[in-house]
């Protein structure tokens, strides 16, 4: 079995949305998923197959907690004006949209995506280690 590339795992984890359940097969090296929102007759994936021991569940959207990643990023911003603007954007309903809009406004969007990718790679690394999955770390630190 080839080792998993942490960049590829991070990409998969970034695709996890509400109601999505992502799994990794330790025997075949494939990822597969099912969604709570798929209609039974439309569902192409047999949910029961994921009960087999060869399938390892990826962290859920809630376990990844992108809001925490956003607050962690905000804490790295030393410019007090930019920091304050991002903190305000994170407050209340609609925080994800406001945060992204503010990143664009403050010209921090590229820096944010680099930070976010590193956070997802770290989540992928921890997940691999917790599940005894060998990985390649080609991520730039």
């Amino acid at each position: 079995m080839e080792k998993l590339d942490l960049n590829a795992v991070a990409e998969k984890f970034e695709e996890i949305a509400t109601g999505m359940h992502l799994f990794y097969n330790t025997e075949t090296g494939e990822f597969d998923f099912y969604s709570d929102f798929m209609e039974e007759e439309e569902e192409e994936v047999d949910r029961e197959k994921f009960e087999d021991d060869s399938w390892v569940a990826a962290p859920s959207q809630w376990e990844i907690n992108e809001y925490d990643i956003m607050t962690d990023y905000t804490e790295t911003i030393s410019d007090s004006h930019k920091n304050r603007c991002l903190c305000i954007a994170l407050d209340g309903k609609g925080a994800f949209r406001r945060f992204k809009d503010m990143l664009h406004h403050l010209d921090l969007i590229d820096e944010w995506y680099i930070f976010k990718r590193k956070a997802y790679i770290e989540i992928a690394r921890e997940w691999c280690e917790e599940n005894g999955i060998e990985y390649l770390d080609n991520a730039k630190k």
Side-chain angles (χ1 to χ4, degrees):
M1 172 69 64
E2 287 187 32
K3 294 180 180 180
L4 276 179
D5 182 314
L6 286 182
N7 282 308
V9 177
E11 279 181 32
K12 288 287 188 187
F13 286 5
E14 284 185 74
E15 295 171 5
I16 298 172
T18 302
M20 182 178 171
H21 306 274
L22 181 68
F23 294 85
Y24 173 72
N25 189 303
T26 57
E27 292 175 5
T28 66
E30 71 177 310
F31 279 94
D32 203 350
F33 76 97
Y34 73 86
S35 170
D36 292 339
F37 304 109
M38 294 173 134
E39 296 292 329
E40 286 297 324
E41 55 272 0
E42 294 177 15
E43 191 170 334
E44 297 176 18
V45 178
D46 176 17
R47 295 177 188 197
E48 291 179 7
K49 79 177 186 178
F50 299 116
E51 294 174 10
D52 184 280
D53 288 342
S54 62
W55 290 97
V56 177
S60 71
Q61 176 190 33
W62 309 115
E63 292 168 317
I64 291 172
N65 198 345
E66 192 166 321
Y67 185 86
D68 282 352
I69 298 171
M70 293 173 1
T71 59
D72 290 347
Y73 172 72
T74 300
E75 291 172 5
T76 70
I77 304 301
S78 58
D79 179 296
S80 61
H81 171 72
K82 291 179 179 182
N83 181 282
R84 188 170 47 257
C85 288
L86 290 172
C87 286
I88 291 168
L90 285 171
D91 187 38
K93 189 174 175 122
F96 286 84
R97 175 83 266 159
R98 280 193 313 277
F99 183 77
K100 191 170 182 181
D101 289 346
M102 187 56 67
L103 290 168
H104 281 287
H105 177 73
L106 298 172
D107 198 28
L108 294 173
I109 196 71
D110 291 337
E111 186 179 311
W112 157 245
Y113 283 128
I114 292 167
F115 183 91
K116 180 180 169 185
R117 174 44 66 105
K118 287 179 181 177
Y120 271 88
I121 287 170
E122 185 56 33
I123 292 166
R125 178 182 291 107
E126 290 171 7
W127 175 79
C128 285
E129 289 173 359
E130 288 171 5
N131 291 287
I133 298 169
E134 292 187 15
Y135 61 88
L136 294 172
D137 190 353
N138 294 327
K140 296 177 184 170
K141 295 184 181 184

